Amino acid sequence: MKLKTPLCMASAVALMAATAAQAETITIATVNNGDMIRMQGYTDTFTEQTGIEVEWVTLEENVLRQRVTTDITTKGGQFDIMTIGMYETPIWGANDWLVPLNDLSDEYDVDDILPAMRNGLSHDGTLYAAPFYGESSMVMYRTDLMEQAGLEMPDAPTWQFIREAAAAMDNPEEEINGICLRGKAGWGEGGAFITVTGNSFGARWFDEDWNAQFDQPEWADALNFYVNLMNDYGPEGYATNGFNENLNLFQQGKCGMWIDATVAASFVTNPDDSTVADSVGFALAPNSEGVEKRSNWLWAWALAIPAGTQKEAEAKQFIEWATSKDYIELVAANEGWANVPPGARASLYDTPEYQEVPFAQKTLESINAADPTNPTVDPVPYVGIQFVAIPEFAGMATEVSQEFSAAYAGQQTVEEALEKAQAIANETMEAAGYR
């Protein structure tokens, strides 16, 4: 026994050394928003449980989309996991560019993922990405400023009320803008916002024959309303503001209202980050008077595995960990229920502690109200609310959003921007054979 013990110890040490030498490292590309950055802070927990190391490539939203799209279309192999959304996932899944997530463990409970999220991240019934969080969009507003203005925010406001409230809350002397909205170029930044705004004015990207519709009065009404609203009551330089820029402005108390992703609610109500945390209210995204469609979208930032990775098993382990019920409980235990990733799992909304979170129900209501298969007033040949679910959309919509941002910056008129958008969209459809 005395001779065997050192041998056992030596064997154990050798085994540990071999295990360490064989430890895998996965590389994840992700977006630089608060929930994804928070997840990086818990990565050590995953590594301790599995021995798998994680390297992060954290990028601004527009840059992330360019990098992962280039990597997957060229089979570059830079990443083992990509953060993508509802636009890319079904298209890339159909092209066999992603690993199907049809063999996740029973404990993971795929059926607990909200149907809107599961459907949006699937192709032909197969899940190709797991939602880290899901979102729609809604109004976030300063309850103290609304009260001072003598107004009461309706549960379901119109754009006309939003303009009235923005005028009443705007206070340049105190550096308070009546409203903060996205104007930044990029199909998923300002392009997403102006598309849902267009929906709520009765506009659409294409008619049923794939003819562009930017020459129709509904688009002129939507874009003129937006430009006038922001020129009158928005921050200077709004043409370059996206999600993160407006979040920062709101947290600093410089916005009376902000209409954006429901996921922002936890950040504007967090007293560690927001100077107005105790005076934030929520309402559904607005519609224009007489138009039934509201300006809310449907999205999920989700984790997907590019086909061809050499670390598929390890990548699936990470996805199961990061999008699980256990991860939600981990964040809740450390940071409170208001800060868990929202909008992905049905069980979260059945949790009594989460039901007490002031924005929880409004987030779920907004998600459930979004209908990607029926996004506009008039019929359309596409699926998608803030995007058109065709491969050509990303490039085309980025160009269109650049023209709109130029109008926001005063570099061209609304009429000129719409004329160019019409040409870009029609030329793209003709070149791709849609018409």
Side-chain angles (χ1 to χ4, degrees):
M1 293 296 290
K2 290 181 180 180
L3 292 173
K4 186 176 181 182
T5 300
L7 291 173
C8 290
M9 290 177 64
S11 298
V13 170
L15 180 60
M16 291 172 64
T19 301
Q22 295 172 6
E24 293 286 4
T25 298
I26 57 173
T27 303
I28 305 175
T30 197
V31 65
N32 66 338
N33 66 30
D35 277 294
M36 304 308 284
I37 291 171
R38 179 181 284 136
M39 179 170 64
Q40 294 175 40
Y42 290 104
T43 303
D44 287 348
T45 302
F46 170 75
T47 300
E48 289 169 4
Q49 293 174 0
T50 65
I52 300 168
E53 301 285 345
V54 179
E55 289 186 358
W56 293 93
V57 178
T58 306
L59 303 166
E60 185 270 333
E61 185 170 325
N62 287 336
V63 178
L64 173 74
R65 289 192 165 107
Q66 293 168 359
R67 285 279 300 275
V68 299
T69 300
T70 299
D71 190 68
I72 203 156
T73 55
T74 62
K75 299 182 180 179
Q78 293 184 55
F79 310 114
D80 301 300
I81 295 176
M82 295 175 168
T83 304
I84 59 176
M86 288 186 170
Y87 167 66
E88 300 94 344
T89 302
I91 296 172
W92 294 3
N95 287 338
D96 296 324
W97 292 349
L98 300 175
V99 173
L101 300 181
N102 54 3
D103 58 352
L104 300 179
S105 67
D106 291 341
E107 293 77 13
Y108 179 76
D109 193 4
V110 169
D111 291 339
D112 185 49
I113 298 173
L114 287 169
M117 301 302 154
R118 195 165 65 245
N119 294 338
L121 297 170
S122 298
H123 171 69
D124 280 349
T126 297
L127 188 72
Y128 282 94
F132 181 68
Y133 69 74
E135 66 178 35
S136 184
S137 51
M138 65 182 176
V139 182
M140 293 161 278
Y141 66 95
R142 292 271 301 276
T143 55
D144 56 336
L145 297 181
M146 189 70 70
E147 184 177 356
Q148 291 173 24
L151 297 173
E152 184 175 344
M153 175 67 75
D155 181 64
T158 64
W159 278 114
Q160 289 69 27
F161 176 85
I162 293 296
R163 180 178 174 86
E164 177 188 354
M169 290 190 286
D170 194 64
N171 189 343
E173 293 182 0
E174 299 292 331
E175 297 186 356
I176 297 173
N177 304 287
I179 191 165
C180 297
L181 300 174
R182 298 188 194 190
K184 189 175 189 176
W187 72 262
E189 275 278 11
F193 187 85
I194 198 61
T195 294
V196 294
T197 301
N199 294 346
S200 68
F201 276 79
R204 52 186 175 165
W205 269 75
F206 300 103
D207 69 11
E208 291 181 282
D209 296 317
W210 294 102
N211 297 303
Q213 297 294 289
F214 292 103
D215 60 351
Q216 297 302 302
E218 292 84 0
W219 263 114
D221 290 344
L223 200 57
N224 276 304
F225 180 90
Y226 173 84
V227 169
N228 291 333
L229 173 67
M230 294 302 290
N231 285 345
D232 290 344
Y233 310 118
E236 291 187 13
Y238 71 88
T240 60
N241 286 353
F243 174 85
N244 284 329
E245 291 82 4
N246 285 322
L247 171 60
N248 185 51
L249 286 170
F250 195 95
Q251 288 178 322
Q252 293 179 13
K254 295 184 177 181
C255 306
M257 291 177 290
W258 179 30
I259 304 169
D260 212 296
T262 52
V263 72
S266 68
F267 300 108
V268 298
T269 57
N270 186 338
D272 293 336
D273 302 315
S274 176
T275 62
V276 296
D278 61 348
S279 55
V280 182
F282 306 96
L284 294 176
N287 66 310
S288 186
E289 290 180 358
V291 178
E292 64 180 22
K293 295 296 178 183
R294 309 200 74 80
S295 53
N296 62 309
W297 61 62
L298 186 68
W299 185 254
W301 276 121
L303 303 178
I305 304 170
T309 177
Q310 300 303 303
K311 300 172 183 176
E312 178 181 321
E314 293 82 2
K316 283 185 178 178
Q317 279 186 267
F318 183 86
I319 287 177
E320 284 211 20
W321 173 80
T323 65
S324 67
K325 299 175 187 178
D326 287 344
Y327 177 83
I328 290 174
E329 292 178 1
L330 175 66
V331 176
N334 285 278
E335 304 185 42
W337 282 98
N339 294 308
V340 304
R345 287 188 169 272
S347 57
L348 176 62
Y349 293 90
D350 294 331
T351 304
E353 295 90 342
Y354 196 68
Q355 291 173 355
E356 298 299 318
V357 173
F359 52 81
Q361 188 57 40
K362 192 62 64 182
T363 294
L364 185 61
E365 187 178 350
S366 298
I367 288 172
N368 289 339
D371 183 1
T373 63
N374 187 31
T376 56
V377 173
D378 293 322
V380 291
Y382 55 83
V383 172
I385 301 176
Q386 75 276 26
F387 58 82
V388 176
I390 57 174
E392 297 78 11
F393 179 76
M396 168 181 61
T398 295
E399 287 188 58
V400 169
S401 73
Q402 290 166 347
E403 298 299 340
F404 287 173
S405 288
Y408 307 155
Q411 297 168 359
Q412 63 182 347
T413 66
V414 166
E415 291 72 22
E416 289 170 334
L418 288 170
E419 183 178 350
K420 292 176 181 178
Q422 180 77 4
I424 290 167
N426 275 335
E427 288 170 8
T428 301
M429 292 298 97
E430 288 172 8
Y434 286 80
R435 48 192 297 269

